[in-house]
Amino acid sequence: MRTFAALVGMACTALLATGCQPQTACPAIAQAPVVALTVAREYAGTVKTLRLKACQDGRCKEADLELFPGTTTVDQGCGQGTDGNDRPCSATASPDGTLVGMLMLDQLTESPIEALVGATGVSGLPLPVRILTFTPRVAYPYGVQCGRFISAGVLLDADGLRQAA
């Protein structure tokens, strides 16, 4: 009987100890498997249409990209609240002259991607085809316990195609 009581006591202690561990709340944010393409401000005025082909892990996806005006974030600051505490900070998006488009993949991994961009200029003539092989970036913005985020982005300008910063 003493052995049974000791085992029950140890089991309760173990349950209490594990139940008191700090828990990390991870945001419920889904990540889209996309390759983002940004056309630099200085080059955006020369581009009419873009076609992006991205190949990763033996699978390729290709599409004409719908281009949208790019934006930059403008900090609007923080201030004192009415009760002396900080009020929430805010920011706004402001057009930056770039164009952005996205190609949805079936899956995005850490493996290298070969990107091929074909474009038509505003004159209707084809622009030079650009090719780049790059490795997507991996980040843990909410800590390793919350999982990784993989991002794949490229920048197109008059000099060619390069990985976005």
Side-chain angles (χ1 to χ4, degrees):
M1 181 72 172
R2 285 166 97 165
T3 306
F4 179 72
L7 286 174
V8 169
M10 287 174 38
C12 288
T13 303
L15 283 173
L16 287 173
T18 58
C20 294
Q21 298 297 319
Q23 301 249 342
T24 302
C26 296
I29 299 173
Q31 180 180 4
V34 300
V35 175
L37 185 141
T38 301
V39 181
R41 181 186 57 210
E42 300 80 20
Y43 196 58
T46 63
V47 175
K48 182 176 180 181
T49 64
L50 279 176
R51 183 161 189 87
L52 174 61
K53 179 178 180 180
C55 298
Q56 184 182 48
D57 299 327
R59 293 182 303 269
C60 294
K61 201 81 175 255
E62 184 174 4
D64 291 327
L65 298 186
E66 187 172 354
L67 298 173
F68 298 96
T71 60
T72 188
T73 304
V74 178
D75 183 2
Q76 293 185 320
C78 306
Q80 285 295 110
T82 56
D83 59 358
N85 294 325
D86 287 339
R87 69 171 173 82
C89 302
S90 64
T92 187
S94 176
D96 64 2
T98 63
L99 295 173
V100 294
M102 294 186 195
L103 176 66
M104 183 72 75
L105 303 178
D106 295 327
Q107 178 180 344
L108 181 62
T109 69
E110 297 175 40
S111 300
I113 294 174
E114 181 177 82
L116 183 140
V117 176
T120 302
V122 291
S123 65
L125 297 174
L127 297 173
V129 173
R130 308 296 187 167
I131 300 173
L132 174 70
T133 300
F134 69 100
T135 302
R137 298 182 196 273
V138 177
Y140 296 86
Y142 305 104
V144 292
Q145 71 281 0
C146 292
R148 67 183 181 191
F149 277 72
I150 303 172
S151 62
V154 292
L155 176 69
L156 177 65
D157 61 18
D159 294 330
L161 191 62
R162 64 179 187 270
Q163 188 166 8

